Amino acid sequence: LRILSSTKMSLRSFHLLFIAVSVAFAVGFGAWLVENYLRDGNVLWILAVTLCLACAAGMVVYGVRFSRNTRHLNQAGTR
């Protein structure tokens, strides 16, 4: 517990990390959907893949914009 209490992460850094993890999960889910499509050929899987990858792309764009707009904020509470 002492290690966790001494580690500081700014809200900005946590938000960017959370976005990156969300993108990774969306891409992984999209890969799983492709596997399902290849297994049974249902066209609805392709629709789901498209929506999933569009969400991942949107999160990437959001992450880049968020990073640019909050670059001036202090990192990990330092002044």
Side-chain angles (χ1 to χ4, degrees), residues 25-48:
F25 277 127
V27 170
F29 186 61
W32 178 77
L33 292 169
V34 167
E35 181 182 333
N36 286 339
Y37 170 72
L38 294 175
R39 186 180 47 216
D40 66 15
N42 190 346
V43 178
L44 289 177
W45 293 119
I46 294 298
L47 175 63

Side-chain angles (χ1 to χ4, degrees), residues 11-13 15-16 19 61-71 73:
L11 185 58
R12 177 184 183 268
S13 297
H15 193 67
L16 290 171
I19 292 168
V61 169
Y62 171 75
V64 168
R65 288 184 179 176
F66 177 81
S67 179
R68 286 182 185 163
N69 289 336
T70 60
R71 193 170 306 227
L73 296 178

Side-chain angles (χ1 to χ4, degrees), residues 6-23:
S6 66
T7 304
K8 291 184 179 182
M9 179 182 269
S10 69
L11 185 58
R12 177 184 183 268
S13 297
F14 176 77
H15 193 67
L16 290 171
L17 176 67
F18 189 76
I19 292 168
V21 170
S22 298
V23 169

